[in-house]
Amino acid sequence: MARKKRSADDAARQSGASLPPERSALTDFLNGPKAKWVFFGVYLVLTVFLFRDFLFSGDMLFGSDTIPDGVYTRAFYKDYHAEFGGIPRWNPFILGGLPFIDAMHGDTFYPGAWLKFFIPLTRALGHKLVWHVFLAGVAMYIFLRTLRLRRDAAFLGGLMYMLAPSFVSLVFPGHDAKMYVTAFLPLAFALLETGMNAPKIWKFALLGGVMGLLILTSHVQMAYYSYWALGLWFLFRLFTGRKEGAPALGQRSALFTGAVALALGLGLIQLLPSYKFTTAQSVRAGEVRTSYEYATSWSMHPEEVMGMVIPSFPGFNVNGQTYWGRNPFKLNSEYNGILPIVFAIAAVAAWRRKRTWFFLGLGALALIYAVGATTPLYHLFYSLVPGVKNFRAPGMIVFLFAFATTVMSSLFLSALLDRKIADGVSGRKYLYAAGGVLLAALAISVMGRSFLELWNAIFYRGIDPAKLEAMTRNIPEVIRDTWQAALAASIALTGVWLYLSRKLGSAALVGMLALVIVVDAAVVDARFIRTVDPDTYAALAPDQSVRDIRAKMESEPPFRILTAVATTYSNIHSPNYYAMFGIPAADGHHNNELGSYEQFRGGQGSTNYLDRWVDFQNGQLNPQEIPNNNFLRVAGVKYILLPAGEGRIEMVENFGALERAFIVHNYLVAGDGDEVIARLKDPAFNPADRVILDTEPELKPAPADSSALSRVENLVYTARGAEIQATLGAPGILVLSDNWVPYWKAEIDGEPAPVLRAYGTFMAVAVPEGRHTVNFTFRSEPYQTGKTVSLAAFGLMLAVLSASGGLALLRRNKAAS
């Protein structure tokens, strides 16, 4: 009987017909309705195993951007919410102050981020990343099932997607919003697919909800790329699906358009204020940050592309300094696992269907875009596609490549397991491919350094000597990962051959492939998962300088500090370290810094007006110059932190610092920022005697009589701004050294007063003689508009879903009666 069975199989293969899939109890279970719970259980166990060091400890999941950039913004938000309720509008702690919502301080509106209100912050920051890994697997499984793929093939697809190092490695740099978008993308595709199959308004309402959630992650750039992919899938499904005539096309088009409109409405609370701010007020509004060179910065390069096949090929700045690519540093991987690449190629070779071609095109589009200026094609994106010139780091789009190759692989595996792929030579080509992969790995390992030198001769001429040294250090890692990827690919290809040869059952093949996927990805993922004790980790725990400064804050009027990190003289702490402890600093780091403040402190270059007391050529400090630095004086920098050796920090007092709020009775009007800078650089100019304004004040200041001195009696920061008690001996200009933006409003004793721009970047208001209460209130109209629209869109979505659910219930009751 067995011989007759083999003869029948051989005849079927020779005729090009597909073979019937074998049946067994295990195979039937893996493709039965209850199997998904087992698959989800596997996803859960793997997630727990991968992050076991974090989940079973009290430690914090390390993220280079999370510590402390993400910590201080979330801590500020959490503390503000506990004291005042709601969301902070203004961040007073870095760079002269920034709008909290408009300048974007992370995942403010993303529901997953609200976990910090219920558990300790350092734990919440890690948990929200961990469970998005699990969610990514479930979402991909759901999408693949909407494509009507086999359940076991969908399981493998979810496994490849959730464990892809290009996704999980984002934990190390702390790129949480990128992980949110990557995790939810398959769910958006699933909802779109179900809606195209059976167009119902509630399905597209849910689609709009998920698409809106992509915007609320706060990573507008990644959400924008997701919209590209969803729009292309919609067009593909619209014109390659069932031919139902123009009315059906119109219905689906209208529903999809409505879903996009709903998504934009839901996301407008995040989108509108950030768009207005970044295009008009932040440093991103300038020509430099919309130039082609800036837009193509942080592209992928040939080395990173090769890293999709050999994980450590470009090296990393994770375990030692081995990155030798063309970007400044490397904290994540573009490796998706070798099996998505292998089986995507197999899909093109053996399962060429319309959907295969679509995802091949999507993957190719993502890869071409990701390499940026490496090819001239990016000029087309930059010139023709709206919004592209406002972004940088085109390599971010690589998540669409991972998505596309995972779907292609799953399409192939589903067809393979269904034995829809006929092979006339019993699948020997897969065995030959496995042998070829091993031979390629052998050749690379034998060549060693010669292989990388050949690579540089072709792709990377003129490599920097320092990068060449890093490449040399990385050679053992390249050889190790070459064999890891080769063995994983050859085992998988051999398994396919065994299956096609009827030497291996489908359940055994699924188990084998699952094991290969897990080992191949988890080995790489583990390199990017670390934990730290937040109570002892130096970048998180308060040191003696924090305690000293906070003690002074309790007894002195508000002031700012400046750390030596701003001077680049010595790295005391990371830029936003002191902000974690509620200490305002004149320095810091934020991608959406106000353009006026960047100009005030000296721009992006080596010139920094705040540190003009540092002699960089001789490597010496000139503290005696500190009180004469007008930039420090105007910014209210009272204390400067300097390295004192052996990890100690010296706190130098700036006796020339002006108060955070002060009164001036003389003024001049400067035409532009360059004139302001020139005045402040002049040692003869005294900002305490004369304020530089951008416009003529309506109320002209006058010299105060010496017997009636003007003074600020109290400055208190409130939930929405600042309140100042001041007495003026004559009309004068009250200066508050927080950055001016057009959303600030001022009131003097309850009456509105114009807010002027002082010294090029700070706020001022003309105040009459006498004792007054001056209130500065921050109110962003773009935020208020976005909030109103988003709440309306959310209400509309709930109404649609409720109405659809009610109608469905009525139909069921009617049918039952």
Side-chain angles (χ1 to χ4, degrees), residues 30-31 35-46 136-138 140-145 149-163 406 410 413-414 417 506-507 509-518:
L30 292 178
N31 285 281
K36 65 180 177 183
W37 302 115
V38 175
F39 298 150
F40 294 169
V42 172
Y43 296 162
L44 179 62
V45 169
L46 288 173
V138 173
M140 177 56 81
Y141 176 89
I142 291 172
F143 172 53
L144 295 175
R145 285 293 296 145
L149 271 60
R150 286 172 58 107
R151 289 183 171 87
D152 46 9
F155 161 68
L156 293 174
L159 209 58
M160 286 186 277
Y161 193 67
M162 67 176 285
L163 296 178
T406 299
S410 303
L413 289 171
S414 185
L417 293 168
S506 63
L509 177 63
V510 169
M512 174 192 290
L513 295 179
L515 183 61
V516 172
I517 292 167
V518 171

Side-chain angles (χ1 to χ4, degrees), residues 229-493:
L230 289 163
L232 291 172
W233 181 245
F234 165 73
L235 294 174
F236 171 80
R237 289 289 285 108
L238 189 66
F239 295 110
T240 63
R242 293 175 294 179
K243 305 299 181 182
E244 297 177 343
L249 293 178
Q251 179 193 30
R252 286 169 170 80
S253 298
L255 288 171
F256 180 72
T257 302
V260 173
L262 177 63
L264 294 176
L266 289 169
L268 205 65
I269 192 173
Q270 177 77 76
L271 196 60
L272 184 60
S274 61
Y275 173 78
K276 290 286 188 181
F277 182 79
T278 55
T279 56
Q281 301 161 40
S282 86
V283 292
R284 295 197 179 194
E287 292 182 3
V288 173
R289 289 175 177 85
T290 56
S291 67
Y292 183 79
E293 290 71 22
Y294 186 80
T296 55
S297 62
W298 295 98
S299 298
M300 286 175 58
H301 297 97
E303 295 72 46
E304 281 84 6
V305 174
M306 189 64 175
M308 291 178 162
V309 179
I310 301 174
S312 63
F313 187 82
F316 304 107
N317 299 109
V318 177
N319 296 315
Q321 306 297 314
T322 61
Y323 177 65
W324 55 282
R326 305 172 211 200
N327 290 317
F329 54 86
K330 189 74 176 171
L331 300 177
N332 68 294
S333 174
E334 277 81 25
Y335 186 63
N336 304 313
I338 196 62
L339 264 59
I341 300 291
V342 168
F343 290 141
I345 295 172
V348 175
W351 191 248
R352 292 186 288 270
R353 300 296 188 271
K354 291 179 181 179
R355 292 187 299 192
T356 307
W357 293 122
F358 173 83
F359 288 105
L360 176 64
L362 180 62
L365 174 69
L367 187 59
I368 291 170
Y369 184 93
V371 297
T374 304
T375 75
L377 294 175
Y378 195 83
H379 282 284
L380 297 175
F381 296 106
Y382 180 80
S383 302
L384 301 178
V385 181
V388 168
K389 62 176 57 179
N390 295 316
F391 298 136
R392 65 168 183 164
M396 289 183 190
I397 203 174
V398 75
F399 78 105
L400 292 182
F401 182 86
F403 175 77
T405 53
T406 299
V407 176
M408 290 176 68
S409 299
S410 303
L411 292 170
F412 168 78
L413 289 171
S414 185
L416 174 74
L417 293 168
D418 271 338
R419 294 203 177 272
K420 294 179 180 178
I421 296 177
D423 190 273
V425 290
S426 302
R428 287 177 190 163
K429 61 184 179 184
Y430 296 99
L431 187 61
Y432 299 153
V437 168
L438 293 175
L439 287 175
L442 180 62
I444 292 173
S445 60
V446 169
M447 293 179 67
R449 183 184 178 91
S450 298
F451 174 76
L452 294 177
E453 289 175 344
L454 178 62
W455 178 275
N456 289 339
I458 299 172
F459 299 108
Y460 199 177
R461 296 179 182 179
I463 182 174
D464 182 86
K467 291 293 183 76
L468 194 59
E469 291 181 10
M471 184 197 77
T472 302
R473 290 194 298 270
N474 194 46
I475 290 174
E477 301 293 322
V478 172
I479 294 175
R480 181 198 63 189
D481 281 3
T482 297
W483 279 109
Q484 174 187 317
L487 288 172
S490 60
I491 291 171
L493 289 167

Side-chain angles (χ1 to χ4, degrees), residues 96 558-560 586 597 600 609-610 626-638 654 656-662 664 676-677 679-681 685-692 735-739 757-763:
F559 59 82
R560 286 194 178 98
Y597 190 77
F600 170 81
Y609 302 133
L610 295 172
I626 291 176
N628 301 321
N629 185 316
N630 284 331
F631 298 92
L632 293 175
R633 297 186 68 195
V634 169
V637 176
K638 190 172 183 181
N654 176 17
L658 299 173
E659 301 288 346
R660 290 287 300 278
F662 59 94
V664 184
V676 173
I677 298 302
R679 292 277 186 177
L680 292 173
K681 288 170 68 174
F685 178 78
N686 185 357
D689 292 336
R690 180 172 294 183
V691 60
I692 307 173
V735 178
L736 177 63
S737 60
D738 277 84
N739 279 324
R757 191 185 317 220
Y759 305 107
T761 192
F762 296 126
M763 289 190 290

Side-chain angles (χ1 to χ4, degrees), residues 105-238:
H105 284 71
D107 44 10
T108 303
F109 302 106
Y110 183 67
W114 301 340
L115 188 63
K116 62 178 171 281
F117 296 125
F118 305 100
I119 64 175
L121 176 64
T122 53
R123 298 294 294 166
L125 292 171
H127 274 289
K128 67 181 183 180
L129 301 185
V130 170
W131 301 117
H132 277 84
V133 173
F134 169 71
L135 177 63
V138 173
M140 177 56 81
Y141 176 89
I142 291 172
F143 172 53
L144 295 175
R145 285 293 296 145
T146 64
L147 297 180
R148 294 179 173 80
L149 271 60
R150 286 172 58 107
R151 289 183 171 87
D152 46 9
F155 161 68
L156 293 174
L159 209 58
M160 286 186 277
Y161 193 67
M162 67 176 285
L163 296 178
S166 61
F167 172 51
V168 178
S169 68
L170 295 174
V171 167
F172 187 83
H175 292 174
D176 48 7
K178 294 180 182 177
M179 296 186 70
Y180 304 158
V181 174
T182 304
F184 273 102
L185 178 64
L187 185 59
F189 264 80
L191 290 168
L192 178 55
E193 176 65 16
T194 57
M196 296 301 288
N197 288 331
K200 301 290 184 182
I201 190 171
W202 66 267
K203 296 180 181 180
F204 284 90
L206 285 176
L207 171 62
V210 173
M211 292 177 70
L213 196 63
L214 295 178
I215 299 175
L216 296 179
T217 62
S218 80
H219 210 299
V220 176
Q221 184 172 347
M222 294 273 284
Y224 187 44
Y225 296 151
S226 298
Y227 280 31
W228 287 4
L230 289 163
L232 291 172
W233 181 245
F234 165 73
L235 294 174
F236 171 80
R237 289 289 285 108
L238 189 66

